């Protein structure tokens, strides 16, 4: 609990204790009135203050006004009738404040889930001053300044490395678990953690415009985009509250007047004013105006806690109605990096072929070279390698331990007069010739993510009608990947503009109620992310384009997060509708009972505070997400 909540809890306890004590103290008349008034002010002074402030500002009809009028009216009625029973008015205010405390705690828990999601905000930036490092607030660093980031520190502001080499942990931003190397001349984004060497960075943006700030802004403002359900509740409360106030006024005046003028019976003002006050308490729309936005806010909080950033409650509503999911292949369903998936030998064992290939390619920075070195898995002694020649579009020739080694494609094999064995598997084939003889080939391909197939299966279990894959790869590769994953439909050899065109055709085929989601890596897919009903970017928080274009951003590259996001959205919408039907249903029943005099103030307390607490407790269930 925060300080404000603790203060409210103390007020509730004090008021409850005083109310119990006064029940057993035998005082009457003015002393009794003063004592109960003091208890009322302890628990309700802020509500009365807000009500008067609302009247002053022209915003009369809100829940504060309803509670103030109802409780003050009940208090005045007890004075008028000389009953001395002030318990009801204080009890109404007491239980209302308990409900408000529940609501405040639930919102606070949701907010903590969101803000604690990513501990990426830097506390300081290091500026070198007379050979010493001085810690300053990142907000104070101007564009073009040189900052120093030591090992273990967060990069506070976007910039370009001017001095130093290091490895960067970017997992909080991109979802990539492997460290990323960084050297002088490379661009670097805020939020990364410097792991090894000292870096000097020339800032290219102010802190407010940096990647970290944009992400934090996205998190903090996610509740500003309202869903249709929230907008409906806001409009409903706007017209509903004045209507019930005028209805209560009519209930207090018209029946006694009719009774007096037409039937010539006593007016019974006290009885009908009491019914009107009960009617006001019952009619207070707290359960709706609090629990519905809270349901969405808790949904966003629960999603954030599960590693899914949703930009607003309107996107939760859209996500819940999603029936078609379209995937980009590379970086979404596959890892997007080359890996050795097979070594096929001819005259030499596999490990030896891989060793010769990795050593021959050890001086190259090509992605294929890096994948060979990674697959070899041992420290490479470049002293063993001489006479390295990189032939553009062919491959590499070198001498390893004095033995001639050629590593490349079929063109290189023809160039050196070696006959290569054809490989029928899908992927990039690297042929290896050793000492002038064909030794075998290494198959490299973009491998599937471990959970991609499971994600497709679970999407269908969660009501997705069709899954589609879009890719720029050749059809043979695309069909193999789609077949392994169980994707319903695949379109291959597409340019970025072709992907937009395909999504538009898919959008035209679905019904208005059905929604289409596009899932991409967020870097090259901004146009398609924007065009779909809802765009989902995977592990792309380091990309400005992803943050701007996507409606939902996943914290890592796990496709199962898509399933989790849809399940959270559906659970959130189910709870929201439960609260709407429950709150309105109970209100209508109790309003009728209150109008005819069956429901008293205690029933009114349940209809207002009781329903609100139940609705709030139901709403915060969206915070808790089951593991898949």
């Amino acid at each position: 609990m925060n300080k404000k909540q603790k203060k409210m809890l103390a007020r509730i306890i004090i008021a409850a204790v005083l109310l119990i004590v006064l029940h057993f103290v035998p005082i009457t008349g003015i002393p009794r009135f003063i004592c109960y008034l003091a208890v009322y002010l302890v628990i309700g002074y802020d509500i009365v203050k807000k009500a008067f402030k609302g009247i002053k500002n022209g915003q009369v009809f809100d829940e504060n006004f309803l509670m103030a009028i109802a409780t003050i009216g009940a208090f005045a009625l007890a004075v008028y009738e000389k009953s001395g029973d002030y318990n009801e008015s204080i009890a109404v205010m007491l239980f209302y404040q308990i409900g408000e405390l529940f609501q405040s705690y639930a919102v606070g828990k949701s907010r903590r889930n969101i803000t604690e999601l990513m501990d990426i905000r830097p506390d300081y930036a290091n500026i070198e001053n007379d050979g010493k490092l001085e810690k300053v607030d990142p907000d104070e660093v101007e564009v073009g300044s040189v900052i120093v980031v030591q090992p273990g520190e967060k990069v506070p502001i976007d910039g370009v490395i001017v001095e130093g080499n290091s490895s960067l942990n970017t997992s909080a931003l991109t979802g990539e678990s492997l460290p990323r190397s960084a050297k002088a001349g490379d661009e670097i984004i805020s939020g990364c953690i410097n792991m090894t060497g000292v870096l000097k960075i020339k800032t290219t943006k102010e802190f407010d415009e940096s990647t970290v700030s944009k992400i934090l802004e996205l998190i903090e403002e996610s509740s500003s985009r309202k869903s249709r359900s929230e907008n409906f509740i806001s409009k409903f409360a706007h017209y509903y509250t004045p209507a019930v106030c005028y209805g209560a006024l009519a209930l207090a005046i018209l029946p006694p007047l009719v009774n007096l003028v037409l039937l010539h019976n006593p007016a019974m003002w006290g009885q009908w004013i009491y019914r009107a006050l009960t009617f006001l308490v019952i009619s207070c729309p707290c359960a709706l105006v609090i629990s519905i936005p809270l349901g969405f806010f808790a949904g966003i909080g629960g999603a954030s806690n599960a590693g899914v950033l949703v930009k607003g409650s309107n996107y939760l509503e859209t996500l819940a109605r999603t029936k078609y999911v379209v995937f980009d292949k590379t970086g979404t369903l596959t890892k997007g990096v080359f890996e050795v998936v097979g070594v096929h030998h001819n005259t030499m064992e596999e490990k030896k072929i891989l060793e010769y290939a990795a050593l021959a390619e050890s001086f190259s920075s090509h992605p294929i070279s890096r994948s060979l070195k990674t697959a070899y898995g041992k420290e490479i002694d470049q002293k063993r390698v001489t006479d390295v020649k990189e032939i553009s579009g062919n491959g590499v020739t070198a001498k390893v331990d004095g033995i001639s080694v050629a590593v490349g494609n079929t063109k290189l094999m023809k160039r050196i007069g070696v006959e290569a064995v054809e490989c029928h598997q899908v992927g990039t084939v690297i042929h290896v010739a050793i000492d002038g003889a064909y030794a075998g080939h290494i198959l490299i391909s973009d491998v599937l993510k471990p959970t991609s197939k499971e994600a497709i299966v679970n999407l269908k279990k969660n009501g997705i009608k069709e899954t589609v894959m879009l890719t720029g790869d050749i059809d043979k590769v695309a069909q193999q990947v789609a077949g392994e994953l169980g994707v319903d439909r695949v379109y291959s050899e597409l340019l970025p503009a072709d992907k937009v065109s395909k999504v538009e055709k898919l959008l035209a085929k679905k019904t208005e109620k059905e929604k289409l989601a596009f899932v991409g890596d967020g870097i090259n897919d901004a146009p398609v992310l924007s065009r779909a009903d809802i765009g989902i970017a995977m592990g792309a928080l380091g990309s400005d384009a992803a943050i701007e274009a996507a409606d939902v951003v996943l914290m890592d590259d796990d496709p199962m997060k898509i399933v989790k996001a849809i399940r959270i959205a559906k659970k959130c919408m189910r709870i929201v509708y439960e609260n709407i039907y429950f709150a309105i249903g109970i209100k209508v029943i109790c309003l009728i009972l209150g109008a005819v005099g069956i429901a008293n103030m205690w029933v009114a307390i349940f209809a207002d505070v009781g329903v609100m607490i139940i609705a709030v407790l139901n709403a915060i269930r969206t915070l808790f997400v089951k593991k898949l």
Side-chain angles (χ1 to χ4, degrees):
M1 281 190 176
N2 59 34
K3 189 176 180 181
K4 188 177 179 181
Q5 289 167 348
K6 288 177 181 177
K7 186 178 177 182
M8 175 53 70
L9 181 60
R11 285 171 58 197
I12 289 169
I13 293 170
I14 291 168
V17 170
L18 289 174
L19 198 61
I20 294 168
V21 170
L22 285 173
H23 184 71
F24 296 101
V25 176
I27 54 173
T28 57
I30 293 176
R32 181 180 177 85
F33 169 77
I34 293 171
C35 289
Y36 275 95
L37 181 61
V39 178
Y40 176 82
L41 291 175
V42 167
I43 194 62
Y45 75 88
D46 54 333
I47 301 299
V48 176
K49 184 179 177 182
K50 288 175 186 176
F52 277 108
K53 194 175 286 186
I55 294 168
K56 186 179 177 181
N57 295 331
Q59 297 176 336
V60 178
F61 300 111
D62 62 9
E63 63 268 20
N64 295 310
F65 175 79
L66 292 180
M67 293 308 300
I69 290 295
T71 53
I72 291 172
F75 216 96
L77 195 61
V79 173
Y80 173 76
E81 293 180 343
K82 298 180 181 179
S83 65
D85 186 6
Y86 308 111
N87 288 310
E88 285 186 345
S89 60
I90 296 174
V92 168
M93 190 63 78
L94 180 66
F95 285 110
Y96 177 76
Q97 293 286 37
I98 291 171
E100 288 288 296
L101 182 62
F102 265 90
Q103 180 259 340
S104 175
Y105 179 76
V107 169
K109 187 171 178 62
S110 298
R111 187 171 284 117
R112 283 194 300 276
N113 273 2
I114 293 171
T115 55
E116 288 175 3
L117 166 66
M118 292 162 41
D119 183 24
I120 60 171
R121 183 182 176 90
D123 299 317
Y124 59 88
N126 294 319
I127 291 183
E128 198 167 2
N129 193 358
D130 295 330
K132 294 181 180 180
L133 292 183
E134 182 183 346
K135 292 182 179 180
V136 299
D137 193 301
D139 285 316
E140 298 175 7
V141 179
E142 296 179 356
V143 174
S145 302
V146 176
I147 59 175
V148 179
V149 182
Q150 299 184 98
E153 292 183 334
K154 297 169 191 169
V155 177
I157 306 168
D158 296 5
V160 176
I161 299 172
V162 293
E163 186 181 318
N165 297 289
S166 183
S167 294
L168 301 174
N169 180 352
T170 63
S171 59
L173 297 172
T174 63
E176 178 59 58
S177 58
L178 293 175
R180 182 180 296 177
S181 60
K183 62 185 184 300
D186 290 349
E187 290 187 0
I188 189 168
I189 57 174
S190 51
C192 301
I193 298 174
N194 183 19
M195 296 177 66
T196 52
V198 176
L199 295 176
K200 289 189 177 181
I201 300 167
K202 186 176 182 179
T203 61
T204 55
K205 295 179 182 178
E206 292 181 352
F207 178 71
D208 288 343
E209 295 297 318
S210 65
T211 302
V212 161
S213 293
K214 286 187 176 182
I215 295 166
L216 294 172
E217 185 180 346
L218 183 156
I219 296 169
E220 289 163 4
E221 295 183 0
S222 60
S223 59
S224 64
R225 295 180 176 93
K226 292 189 175 183
S227 67
R228 291 191 308 166
S229 300
E230 280 186 284
N231 286 326
F232 162 74
I233 293 303
S234 298
K235 290 178 182 177
F236 175 81
H238 180 74
Y239 294 105
Y240 167 83
T241 308
V244 296
C245 286
Y246 292 128
L249 186 63
L251 189 63
I253 295 172
L254 294 181
L257 280 179
V258 170
N259 209 35
L260 180 65
V261 176
L262 297 181
L263 303 177
H264 305 290
N265 291 327
M268 297 184 294
W269 291 104
Q271 176 186 332
W272 286 100
I273 289 173
Y274 181 80
R275 289 188 187 182
L277 294 173
T278 303
F279 188 89
L280 277 178
V281 175
I282 294 170
S283 65
C284 190
C286 298
L288 287 172
V289 298
I290 290 173
S291 69
I292 306 309
L294 176 61
F296 282 110
F297 194 61
I300 292 171
S304 298
N305 200 37
V308 180
L309 289 180
V310 183
K311 284 190 177 181
S313 56
N314 54 329
Y315 300 121
L316 271 180
E317 197 166 28
T318 303
L319 198 57
R321 294 163 61 192
T322 297
K323 294 296 179 184
Y324 299 87
V325 179
V326 181
F327 295 93
D328 174 55
K329 181 184 80 71
T330 307
T332 303
L333 294 172
T334 64
K335 290 184 178 180
V337 291
F338 286 108
E339 287 189 14
V340 172
V341 294
V343 180
H344 305 276
H345 60 92
N346 187 28
T347 58
M348 187 177 292
E349 64 179 41
E350 294 177 7
K351 288 182 180 179
K352 205 67 179 173
I353 292 173
L354 195 57
E355 181 183 356
Y356 276 119
L359 284 163
E361 292 275 4
S362 63
F363 289 92
S364 174
S365 60
H366 192 277
I368 287 176
S369 303
R370 288 199 296 269
S371 65
L372 289 171
K373 288 180 275 189
T374 301
Y376 176 54
K378 298 178 182 178
E379 189 175 346
I380 290 176
D381 183 6
Q382 291 184 333
K383 293 177 182 177
R384 295 172 59 190
V385 187
T386 57
D387 299 340
V388 179
K389 292 180 183 178
E390 191 163 348
I391 304 167
S392 180
N394 286 251
V396 172
T397 61
K399 284 189 176 180
V400 178
D401 299 330
I403 300 171
S404 297
V405 178
V407 181
N409 54 24
T410 51
K411 291 179 185 177
L412 181 64
M413 295 298 108
K414 287 179 182 179
R415 190 183 185 105
I416 62 172
V418 173
E419 186 177 346
V421 176
E422 188 178 353
C423 179
H424 298 285
Q425 290 180 265
V426 177
T428 301
V429 180
I430 306 299
H431 297 283
V432 181
I434 297 173
D435 206 14
Y438 187 73
H441 55 259
I442 300 167
L443 186 66
I444 297 175
S445 71
D446 185 7
V447 296
L448 297 176
K449 290 180 180 177
T451 58
S452 290
K453 187 172 183 178
E454 186 185 359
I456 298 295
V457 171
N458 277 278
L459 282 172
K460 292 177 180 178
K461 287 181 181 178
N462 282 274
I464 300 302
K465 284 186 176 181
E466 187 177 38
T467 53
V468 182
M469 187 178 80
L470 308 180
T471 179
D473 281 351
I474 60 172
D475 190 60
K476 185 179 179 182
V477 173
Q479 292 295 343
Q480 185 191 35
V481 171
E484 287 182 32
L485 295 177
V487 174
D488 298 316
R489 202 187 309 182
V490 60
Y491 297 100
S492 58
E493 300 178 31
L494 300 175
L495 296 172
D498 298 329
K499 292 181 181 181
V500 176
S501 177
K502 290 295 181 186
V503 166
E504 286 178 342
K505 288 180 181 178
L506 291 167
L507 286 167
K509 289 180 181 179
K510 67 180 183 60
T511 64
E512 189 177 344
K513 289 184 178 180
E514 296 174 333
K515 298 299 178 183
L516 180 144
F518 177 81
V519 188
D521 59 15
I523 299 168
N524 303 315
D525 301 313
V528 204
L529 287 166
S530 300
R531 183 64 190 89
D533 290 322
I534 187 160
I536 304 174
M538 298 192 69
L541 282 177
S543 164
D544 286 347
I547 294 172
E548 294 299 325
D551 307 311
V552 177
V553 184
L554 307 183
M555 290 295 292
D556 58 27
D557 292 325
D558 185 0
M560 284 298 289
K561 283 284 197 297
I562 305 161
V563 183
K564 184 163 282 188
I566 290 174
R567 285 181 56 178
I568 291 168
K570 287 187 173 183
K571 180 180 180 180
C572 177
M573 291 310 302
R574 185 174 67 249
I575 287 172
V576 163
Y577 284 120
E578 284 172 1
N579 281 347
I580 290 173
Y581 298 142
F582 172 69
I584 291 178
I586 296 295
K587 290 284 183 190
V588 169
I589 294 169
C590 291
L591 282 172
I592 294 169
L593 294 176
V596 298
I598 297 174
N600 60 15
M601 195 64 79
W602 295 103
V603 174
I605 291 171
F606 169 75
D608 175 36
V609 181
V611 169
M612 179 176 70
I613 291 174
I614 293 170
V616 165
L617 290 174
N618 192 38
I620 62 175
R621 286 198 299 123
T622 53
L623 282 170
F624 307 105
V625 182
K626 290 182 181 179
K627 291 184 179 180
L628 292 172

